[in-house]
């Protein structure tokens, strides 16, 4: 019988190893993972190629395939490494027998090929894929593949464990030494640096911080802390730079610098990003960038204070309310805390009884009745707000008191300003005026007087009842009152009295009183109406006189308007001048005089509203002639000779007829003269008898007034 021999060759499964390109890498950076698959069935025995090589690798949390993946392989088959995915796999790979890879983890081995029917990678093949470390990855990442297998051998073992330490950037925090600082006050600013990595040191850590507007490095800068680093923090600057800070694994340190607030408000301060480097395990230092640090501080301006007296003037022993207003400046974003001030009143000014204290500022207010001190402590004023504190004060001594408080302050805003106000203590000083418009006419009705009561600007306010009394002109047929009223006044027409009790402030006036009167037809032309004010705390009374003219602006009133005299005598007419007050000088003249007379006035003019004037009218007697009556007398002889000579000259060489006419005319004239001389002594000039109406006129500028008188001349 023939026997057969069969040979069974058992193929060993492939082996797989993996390694990261660095033992440490930063968050959000890439690292390359390398898979090396070895065919252990190498020359000379059993010299078996492997096909259907496959494995699958599920990446640990914090690792994904990068974009782009950079995947490459000489293992044949199908390599799956999709960007963003968490797994890598190979199917259908092939590895021919050959030399094993060099024992250098993480390095791609050269691909060797051998002669013969084989065409795949000889001995081993290599796969490379880029991986992204997640931004939130931390700690040590350990990665082991699933078992590697081949068609000829079945499943083998999983890979070795590849270890990657994720290096985190340093962390930084910052804090101010206080939540708030007074304006121009200082506090510390502390930076805290930490290395969160348990096994990797951080080298060359750096940070830059640009301070916000209104915050600067203090003088001196107070630089300190536990870090060994290069720190730049120049006094007065707004920048702080920290460099060359080394942090061992799991260590921390601080940098401290003082800052000053130069403007009020909340200062939000955020640094730049912290940076550092680390050794990735190959001697190469890789950069890492961390986050920023933020902190806020309130720079608080001091409160402001104002004060005012109301009223600002009082009578002795009167009461004024002194109000303090404390304001939290608008720039502040936090309340003023621990607000306080003191105010020492001037001598002779004290807190009234009762004090009327009202405190809207919180804390403790003190204002003891009868004392000269007012104070507040522990108050508060909300942001963008103000509060008031008021107290009643009094003084018995007339004077002007200037009061300045102490400076207001707060525990978080520092010291602010002082406040000043003045109080006048004085009796009331009233005044009264009485006016009317134009002239009243005789027999007129509804004529108005205006009466105004005022208070002097430098006096005290009124207190109690103010009384106004009107006094009519003390003349026959005086004015007749018909109405008396004024807003706020209580008036009695029967007594011509008005009263009121409300306070009249210094420099102010009450509403006017209107007195309405009728003017009788027979009242004299110039009268004076008076009004008197009293009371209101004014120790004196005050009177206003209002001269009033009734009728035309210029009136000439004759006591006797008729006179009878003989020629050559004088007539005197006395009259009263009544002119409007303020009209000016009145001059007098007359017209309508008879011949041979003239008028004169004593005085010739007057500027008095009422004056007594005398007018004198002088007349003249006729005069008689002493010339001889005889025609041959010297006068007539000379006249005749002259006439004859004139006639001859006029006639000249003209005709006889003309000369004859001239001679006849001259002769007739001579005869007439002779007859006149025979009639006795003739009368010449003088005031002729008769009855004459003479107009007398008073004139001031364009204003005139006239009256007539009658002169009988006998």
């Amino acid at each position: 019988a023939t026997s057969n021999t069969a040979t069974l060759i058992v193929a060993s499964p492939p082996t797989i190893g993996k390694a990261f390109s660095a033992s440490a890498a930063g968050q959000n950076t890439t690292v390359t993972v390398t898979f090396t698959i070895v065919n252990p069935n190498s020359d000379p025995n059993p010299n078996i190629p492997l096909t259907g090589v496959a494995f699958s690798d599920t990446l640990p949390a914090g690792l994904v395939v990068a974009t782009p993946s950079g995947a490459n392989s000489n293992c044949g088959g199908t390599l799956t490494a999709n960007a963003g995915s968490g797994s890598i796999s190979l199917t259908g790979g092939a590895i021919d027998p050959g030399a094993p890879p060099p024992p250098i983890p993480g390095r791609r081995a050269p691909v060797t090929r051998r002669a013969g029917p084989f065409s795949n990678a000889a001995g081993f093949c290599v796969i490379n894929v880029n991986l992204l470390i997640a931004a939130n990855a931390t700690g040590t990442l350990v990665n082991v593949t699933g078992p590697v297998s081949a068609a000829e051998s079945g499943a083998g073992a999983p890979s070795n464990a590849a270890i990657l330490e994720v290096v985190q950037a340093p962390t930084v925090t910052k804090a101010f030494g206080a939540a708030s600082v007074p304006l121009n006050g200082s506090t510390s600013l502390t930076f805290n640096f930490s290395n969160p990595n348990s096994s990797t040191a951080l080298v060359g850590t750096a940070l830059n911080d640009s301070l916000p507007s209104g915050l600067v490095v203090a003088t001196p800068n107070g630089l300190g802390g536990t870090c060994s680093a290069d720190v730049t923090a120049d006094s007065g600057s707004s920048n702080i730079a920290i460099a060359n800070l080394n942090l061992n694994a799991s260590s921390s340190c601080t940098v401290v610098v003082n800052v000053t607030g130069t403007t009020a408000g909340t200062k939000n301060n955020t640094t730049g990003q912290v940076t550092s480097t680390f050794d990735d395990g190959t001697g190469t230092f890789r950069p890492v960038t961390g986050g920023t640090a933020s902190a806020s501080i309130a720079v608080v301006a001091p409160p402001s204070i104002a004060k005012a007296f109301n009223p600002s003037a009082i009578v002795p022993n009167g009461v004024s309310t002194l109000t303090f207003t404390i304001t939290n400046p608008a720039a502040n974003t936090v309340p003023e805390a621990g607000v306080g001030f003191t105010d020492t009143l001037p001598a002779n000014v004290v807190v009234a009884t009762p004090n009327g204290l009202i405190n809207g500022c919180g804390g403790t207010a003190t204002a003891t009745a009868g004392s000269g001190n007012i104070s507040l402590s522990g108050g508060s004023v909300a942001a963008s707000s103000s509060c008031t504190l008021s107290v009643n004060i009094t003084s018995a001594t007339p004077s002007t008191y200037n009061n300045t408080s102490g400076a207001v302050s707060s525990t978080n805003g520092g010291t602010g300003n002082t406040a000043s106000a003045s109080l006048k203590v004085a009796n009331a000083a009233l005044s009264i005026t009485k006016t009317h418009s134009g002239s009243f006419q005789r027999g007129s009705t509804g004529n108005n007087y205006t009466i105004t009561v005022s208070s002097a600007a430098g006096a005290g306010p009124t207190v109690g009842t103010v009384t106004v009394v009107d006094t009519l002109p003390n003349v026959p047929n005086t004015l007749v009152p018909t109405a008396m009223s004024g807003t706020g006044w209580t008036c009695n027409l029967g007594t011509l009295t008005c009263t009121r009790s409300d306070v009249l402030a210094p420099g102010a006036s009450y509403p006017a009183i209107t007195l309405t009167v009728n003017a009788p037809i027979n009242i004299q032309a110039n009268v004076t109406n008076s009004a008197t004010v009293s009371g209101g705390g004014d120790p004196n009374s005050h009177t206003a006189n209002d001269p009033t003219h009734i009728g035309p602006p210029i009136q000439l009133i004759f006591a006797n308007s008729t006179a009878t005299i003989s020629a050559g005598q004088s007539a005197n007419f006395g009259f009263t001048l009544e002119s409007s007050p303020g009209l000016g000088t009145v001059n007098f003249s007359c017209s309508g005089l008879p011949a041979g007379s003239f008028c004169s006035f004593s005085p010739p003019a007057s500027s008095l509203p009422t004056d007594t004037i005398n007018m004198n009218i002088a007349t003249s007697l006729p005069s008689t002639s002493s010339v001889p009556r005889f025609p041959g007398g010297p006068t007539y002889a000379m006249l005749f000779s002259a006439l004859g000579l004139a006639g001859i000259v006029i006639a000249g060489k003209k005709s006889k007829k003309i000369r004859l006419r001239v001679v006849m005319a001259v002769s007739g004239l001579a005869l007439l003269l002779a007859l006149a001389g025979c009639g006795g002594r003739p009368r010449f000039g003088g005031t002729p008898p008769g009855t004459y109406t003479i107009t007398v006129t008073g004139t001031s500028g364009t204003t005139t007034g006239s009256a007539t008188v009658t002169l009988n001349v006998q």
Side-chain angles (χ1 to χ4, degrees):
T2 302
S3 63
N4 294 321
T5 301
T7 301
L8 177 64
I9 301 175
V10 179
S12 298
T15 62
I16 185 170
K18 67 181 298 184
F20 293 110
S21 58
S23 61
Q27 295 172 322
N28 208 33
T29 62
T30 59
V31 67
T32 301
V33 62
T34 299
F35 301 93
T36 302
I37 304 173
V38 177
N39 182 351
N41 303 288
S42 302
D43 252 352
N45 186 32
N47 200 25
I48 300 172
L50 296 178
T51 61
V53 176
F55 76 92
S56 178
D57 185 12
T58 299
L59 299 174
L63 283 177
V64 295
V65 177
T67 304
S69 67
N72 63 78
S73 169
N74 66 344
C75 295
T78 300
L79 175 64
T80 301
N82 296 323
S85 73
S87 64
I88 303 169
S89 64
L90 175 68
T91 60
I95 307 172
D96 290 341
I104 305 177
R107 298 279 183 89
R108 178 182 294 183
V111 177
T112 59
R113 295 189 179 276
R114 53 172 289 185
F118 305 111
S119 59
N120 299 311
F124 66 96
C125 67
V126 178
I127 298 170
N128 292 298
V129 178
N130 292 335
L131 303 179
L132 173 67
I133 303 171
N136 60 352
T138 59
T140 300
L141 303 181
V142 178
N143 186 206
V144 177
T145 67
V148 64
S149 64
E152 290 77 11
S153 63
S159 71
N160 61 295
I163 297 175
L164 176 67
E165 173 138 7
V166 178
V167 179
Q168 300 178 63
T171 61
V172 61
T173 60
K174 64 185 300 185
F176 290 101
S180 66
V181 64
L183 183 65
N184 298 316
S186 298
T187 190
S188 62
L189 175 58
T190 300
F191 300 89
N192 293 282
F193 295 91
S194 295
N195 182 350
N197 302 293
S198 60
S199 58
T200 302
L202 296 174
V203 179
T205 302
L207 179 71
N208 190 74
D209 187 13
S210 295
L211 299 175
S213 176
L215 203 63
V216 298
V217 176
T219 302
N221 63 12
L223 185 62
T226 60
C227 292
S228 176
D230 297 330
V231 181
T232 301
D234 297 329
S235 295
S237 74
S238 59
N239 192 75
I240 301 169
I242 301 168
N244 297 323
L245 169 62
N246 297 328
L247 292 167
N248 294 327
S250 300
S251 68
S252 63
C253 67
T254 60
V255 173
V256 180
V257 62
N258 290 339
V259 293
T260 298
T262 59
T263 62
T266 297
K267 311 302 178 182
N268 298 311
N269 181 207
T270 299
T271 68
Q273 290 178 295
V274 64
T275 61
S276 191
T277 64
F278 65 93
D279 186 346
D280 69 357
T282 67
T284 300
F285 284 85
R286 306 290 182 181
V288 284
T289 300
T292 61
S294 297
S296 295
I297 187 171
V299 180
V300 185
S304 63
I305 188 171
K307 66 186 298 186
F309 291 98
N310 184 27
S312 59
I314 59 173
V315 296
N317 297 312
V319 174
S320 178
T321 299
L322 176 57
T323 299
F324 301 89
T325 301
I326 302 173
T327 300
N328 188 342
N332 287 344
T333 56
V334 298
E336 296 276 11
V339 175
F341 73 91
T342 60
D343 186 16
T344 300
L345 298 174
N348 298 320
V349 178
V350 297
V351 177
T353 303
N355 64 10
L357 177 64
I358 300 175
N359 178 19
C361 299
T364 301
T366 301
T368 303
S371 75
N373 294 290
I374 302 166
S375 65
L376 172 70
S377 62
S380 63
V381 186
S384 301
S385 184
S386 61
C387 67
T388 60
L389 183 150
S390 61
V391 61
N392 291 337
I393 59 91
T394 188
S395 175
T397 306
S399 185
T400 296
Y401 298 98
N402 299 312
N403 178 212
T404 299
S405 71
V408 66
S409 64
S410 70
T411 53
N412 59 339
T415 301
N417 65 309
T418 61
S420 297
S422 294
L423 176 69
K424 186 175 186 66
V425 180
N427 289 309
L430 298 176
S431 63
I432 187 169
T433 60
K434 184 171 187 180
T435 61
H436 70 281
S437 178
S439 299
F440 297 167
Q441 300 304 311
R442 286 184 169 83
S444 62
T445 61
N447 303 299
N448 290 327
Y449 286 102
T450 299
I451 303 170
T452 303
V453 175
S454 302
S455 176
T462 61
V463 57
T465 302
V466 175
T467 301
V468 172
V469 178
D470 187 82
T471 303
L472 295 175
N474 185 20
V475 298
N477 306 308
T478 190
L479 299 171
V480 178
T482 60
M484 189 176 191
S485 64
T487 302
W489 291 93
T490 299
C491 297
N492 186 319
L493 183 62
T495 60
L496 295 183
T497 301
C498 293
T499 59
R500 67 190 302 155
S501 299
D502 53 319
V503 174
L504 179 61
S509 299
Y510 282 131
I513 298 170
T514 300
L515 172 64
T516 303
V517 298
N518 295 340
I521 193 70
N522 56 350
I523 190 172
Q524 69 183 51
N526 283 318
V527 298
T528 299
N529 196 357
S530 301
T532 300
V533 64
S534 61
D538 187 340
N540 303 307
S541 61
H542 307 273
T543 299
N545 296 313
D546 186 10
T548 306
H549 186 75
I550 301 172
I554 297 178
Q555 300 173 63
L556 308 180
I557 304 169
F558 284 86
N560 188 351
S561 61
T562 302
T564 300
I565 60 173
S566 298
Q569 294 179 337
S570 295
N572 288 304
F573 293 90
F575 66 90
T576 300
L577 167 67
E578 298 281 5
S579 62
S580 296
L583 185 62
T585 300
V586 179
N587 297 287
F588 307 106
S589 64
C590 62
S591 62
L593 292 170
S597 65
F598 65 91
C599 67
S600 62
F601 298 89
S602 177
S606 177
S607 58
L608 299 176
T610 299
D611 203 355
T612 300
I613 311 297
N614 182 69
M615 179 180 71
N616 177 270
I617 299 177
T619 62
S620 61
L621 290 170
S623 62
T624 56
S625 175
S626 60
V627 179
R629 300 176 185 174
F630 185 72
T635 302
Y636 294 106
M638 289 186 290
L639 179 60
F640 182 77
S641 299
L643 290 173
L645 181 60
I648 295 172
V649 172
I650 293 171
K653 295 181 179 182
K654 295 184 179 180
S655 66
K656 288 182 179 181
K657 187 175 182 178
I658 295 174
R659 290 197 298 271
L660 180 60
R661 290 177 179 173
V662 171
V663 171
M664 290 178 66
V666 173
S667 299
L669 178 59
L671 179 60
L672 178 62
L673 292 173
L675 292 174
C678 294
R681 299 180 67 185
R683 297 170 65 90
F684 291 95
T687 301
T691 298
Y692 302 95
T693 299
I694 299 170
T695 300
V696 183
T697 302
T699 303
S700 177
T702 60
T703 303
T704 62
S706 300
T708 60
V709 296
T710 300
L711 177 66
N712 296 311
V713 181
Q714 296 178 345

